[in-house]
Amino acid sequence: MRAVVTRVRNASVTIDGTVTGTIDHGLLVLLGVAPEDTPAHAKKLADKICAMRIFQDQAGKMNLNLETVGGSLLVVSQFTLFADCKRGNRPGFTGAARPEIAIPLYEEFMSLCRARGFRVEHGEFGADMQVASVNDGPVTILLDTDELM
């Protein structure tokens, strides 16, 4: 699994003109799933993201995690995180999992974050979405479970 995690002041996702998910202070998570990913990958990634100390304390140091600041998550499926750009100018996406694999792991990831007590908003898997965010910092971190496992 791959994730682009951005600390945000607020973020939202809109589908067909309707806001389907919105958060204030927290994390925007763009989440991609690979064919070989398992529930263990979802757990490792959820544990890492929910515990990351990337919010500033009173001294201005990144010492606080999502729980400490009372933040929420907005999770958006993003198969393009597995784009293969090695040849030509048009990316290939064979490195992304098919929906029958990706959807359950996307949902598992969100369920694991909710189980930790976080409010989780989300987009709709496979939908054409417009994502808006006011990045805080900006702080953006790339995570890949291939490097975490």
Side-chain angles (χ1 to χ4, degrees):
M1 296 180 91
R2 290 183 182 161
V4 176
V5 180
T6 302
R7 189 176 75 188
V8 297
R9 294 198 179 194
N10 59 66
S12 65
V13 60
T14 302
I15 302 169
D16 294 328
T18 302
V19 175
T20 60
T22 185
I23 64 167
D24 288 322
H25 190 61
L27 299 174
L28 169 61
V29 179
L30 305 178
L31 183 67
V33 179
E36 64 276 4
D37 287 334
T38 67
H41 291 94
K43 182 177 183 334
K44 185 69 171 182
L45 193 60
D47 288 347
K48 178 60 81 175
I49 289 172
C50 291
M52 279 194 316
R53 299 184 321 170
I54 60 172
F55 294 91
Q56 290 183 343
D57 62 15
Q58 290 186 338
K61 296 189 181 226
M62 287 197 287
N63 268 334
L64 307 177
N65 64 20
L66 193 61
E67 181 180 9
T68 307
V69 300
S72 302
L73 295 110
L74 175 61
V75 182
V76 177
S77 62
Q78 190 80 37
F79 76 94
T80 59
L81 293 178
F82 284 95
D84 180 356
C85 299
K86 292 177 187 161
R87 293 197 251 124
N89 293 318
R90 188 165 121 195
F93 298 104
T94 57
R98 306 250 340 123
E100 55 271 14
I101 294 171
I103 292 171
L105 290 174
Y106 169 73
E107 291 174 354
E108 175 72 7
F109 173 83
M110 291 187 295
S111 177
L112 289 163
C113 294
R114 284 186 191 104
R116 292 179 71 120
F118 296 107
R119 186 174 134 250
V120 179
E121 297 284 321
H122 57 88
E124 179 182 323
F125 191 92
D128 182 22
M129 297 175 274
Q130 290 71 53
V131 179
S133 66
V134 176
N135 298 351
D136 185 16
V139 173
T140 301
I141 296 175
L142 304 172
L143 295 172
D144 191 320
T145 53
D146 284 348
E147 299 170 2
L148 299 176
M149 302 296 279

